[in-house]
Amino acid sequence: MVSLVFDDGLESVYQYAFPILAKYAFPATVGIIANRVDVGDQDFMDENQLRELQKAGWEIASHSLTHKRPIDIPKFLAEEKCLLLRRVNGQRTLYDAKYKYEELAGLVENGRQLKERSSVKLVKSEPGSYYFDELIGEVTVHPFDPDSAEKQQIRAISYERELEESKNVLNALGFTVTTYITPHNYWTPEMSALAKRFYSQVADGGDDCNRKGATDRYWIKRYVVHANDPAESIIGLIKEHAIRENAWVVFCLHGIGSDLGWEPWDAAKLDQLAAFLKQKAVPVVTVDQGAKLWFDGKGKTGK
C-alpha cells in the first residue's frame, strides 16, 4: 500500500493536490503546524479548507506546534524553566535572560503564549511579547504581569509541549488527530518513547519503505519527494517495494503546483503518479489507516 503525506499545511496542497487526488478517489495525510492555522497567512491552509479535506477522507495530522527539532529547544516540560529573568536596568516592564538553546519555539506565561516580535523596541510597548536575539542568545520579555517574571513563571516551550499542545490545538478545532509527522524528518528514541503518550503512530523520514515485522509504529519511514524527482522514479519505488515486496511505501511531499515551500513538486507529476496507482489498483491509505492495517490488522484502504 501507499500513503501520500503533505508536510507543513501549504495552501497549494488544497488548491492543486486535493482536486487531483479527488479525481482518483484517493485520500492523503496533511501534517499541520498548529500555530500556522488561521493566522491570516494565505500560504497556509485555513480551518475551513482543512475541514473540507477531513470531510473528504483526508487525515489531519500534527506536524508540531512551531516546526522545531528536539535538539534545538528544551526536550521536556521539566526543562522549560530555563530562563532566569532579570529586570532590565531603567525599565519597569522589561526583563531579559540568557537562553542556552539554539532556537526558541516560544514563551508561555501561566498558560498564555507570548507573541514574538522583531525588536526590543516593539516589545517595550506591547505586554505579552518577547524578542529573541539569536546572535547573543538573549531573550527580552514584556510579560502580561510583571509578577510572573519576578516569580520566574515564564517558561520556554519544550518539544514535549510541541507534541502535546499541537494535538490539543487541532483537536479543539474539531480535527481527529492520531498521527504525528516529524518536522525536518528529525527524530530521536527519546521523542519516540514520549510520543506514545499523545499519538497512535509517528511518521519520520529515512528514505526507506516499511516491511512487515521490521517497522516501528513510532518510527514509520518515508521517502522524501524532491522538486526535481520525475514521477517515473517515484513510480519505480512503488513497483519495487509496494507491488513486488508487498511493503508499505509512505512519501513525504510538501507544496504542489507552486514554487512555495521546501522541495515543491509539479502538479502534473502528482497526476501521473495517481493515475499509475489507480491503474495498478494499489491501495492508497492515510497514515492512520495504514497503521491500523499494518500493525492491528484492521481498517480499510482506498483504491
Side-chain angles (χ1 to χ4, degrees):
M1 59 188 179
V2 167
S3 295
L4 304 174
V5 184
F6 298 92
D7 289 11
D8 301 342
L10 294 166
E11 197 276 338
S12 65
V13 172
Y14 175 83
Q15 185 176 353
Y16 297 108
F18 182 34
I20 288 171
L21 297 182
K23 181 170 64 173
Y24 299 98
F26 288 155
T29 296
V30 285
I32 301 302
I33 304 167
N35 271 8
R36 300 280 177 89
V37 180
D38 288 343
V39 294
D41 188 338
Q42 295 184 351
D43 292 339
F44 296 89
M45 285 184 278
D46 62 28
E47 184 180 338
N48 290 331
Q49 291 168 328
L50 294 176
R51 288 189 196 286
E52 191 175 345
L53 293 183
Q54 182 171 262
K55 187 176 180 180
W58 285 45
E59 177 188 10
I60 309 301
S62 168
H63 194 39
S64 81
L65 190 65
T66 69
H67 205 261
K68 299 294 188 292
R69 300 188 305 170
I71 59 169
D72 294 330
I73 61 177
K75 291 185 178 71
F76 304 105
L77 291 175
E79 298 173 6
E80 289 187 340
K81 215 164 184 178
C82 57
L83 299 177
L84 183 60
L85 289 164
R86 302 156 300 184
R87 190 190 297 271
V88 176
N89 287 337
Q91 301 291 331
R92 292 189 306 107
T93 58
L94 293 187
Y95 294 78
D96 63 16
K98 290 295 183 182
Y99 180 72
K100 65 179 181 179
Y101 297 92
E102 186 73 20
E103 294 191 38
L104 180 60
L107 298 180
V108 177
E109 179 182 339
N110 296 322
R112 298 174 70 183
Q113 195 165 339
L114 282 71
K115 295 180 180 179
E116 183 178 12
R117 294 296 179 244
S118 59
S119 70
V120 173
K121 183 178 180 180
L122 292 174
V123 168
K124 187 175 180 180
S125 61
E126 183 179 357
S129 66
Y130 73 92
Y131 168 66
F132 176 42
D133 190 331
E134 297 180 13
L135 187 64
I136 59 174
E138 187 171 272
V139 184
T140 302
V141 182
H142 187 165
F144 291 108
D145 179 2
D147 198 43
S148 300
E150 299 288 350
K151 294 180 178 179
Q152 304 299 328
Q153 293 174 331
I154 296 175
R155 304 167 70 96
I157 289 177
S158 66
Y159 205 83
E160 182 174 353
R161 191 181 296 272
E162 291 265 336
L163 288 167
E164 181 176 17
E165 189 61 21
S166 59
K167 181 178 181 179
N168 291 342
V169 169
L170 294 172
N171 282 347
L173 293 174
F175 302 114
T176 304
V177 177
T178 62
T179 301
Y180 186 73
I181 310 295
T182 64
H184 308 283
N185 283 329
Y186 189 92
W187 204 224
T188 70
E190 274 183 317
M191 295 302 109
S192 178
L194 181 62
K196 295 176 183 178
R197 290 175 44 199
F198 310 113
Y199 298 93
S200 300
Q201 55 275 326
V202 174
D204 184 37
D207 280 327
D208 201 355
C209 63
N210 302 282
R211 299 174 178 86
K212 278 288 187 182
T215 302
D216 185 337
R217 188 172 194 143
Y218 288 87
W219 211 304
I220 296 167
K221 296 168 184 171
R222 299 191 294 168
Y223 286 103
V224 175
V225 177
H226 298 277
N228 293 327
D229 288 342
E232 289 80 6
S233 68
I234 306 305
I235 290 170
L237 292 171
I238 295 168
K239 288 178 178 178
E240 180 181 356
H241 301 299
I243 296 176
R244 294 173 192 159
E245 298 180 15
N246 200 31
W248 179 17
V249 179
V250 185
F251 290 107
C252 167
L253 302 105
H254 293 81
I256 296 293
S258 84
D259 59 358
L260 289 175
W262 185 76
E263 298 289 351
W265 212 42
D266 189 76
K269 295 178 183 178
L270 180 63
D271 196 301
Q272 184 180 346
L273 171 61
F276 170 82
L277 291 167
K278 193 71 172 181
Q279 179 190 7
K280 297 298 183 181
V282 178
V284 177
V285 297
T286 66
V287 173
D288 180 69
Q289 290 169 337
K292 287 173 180 173
L293 285 161
W294 205 245
F295 301 106
D296 305 331
K298 59 185 179 180
K300 60 183 181 178
T301 63
K303 293 185 179 181

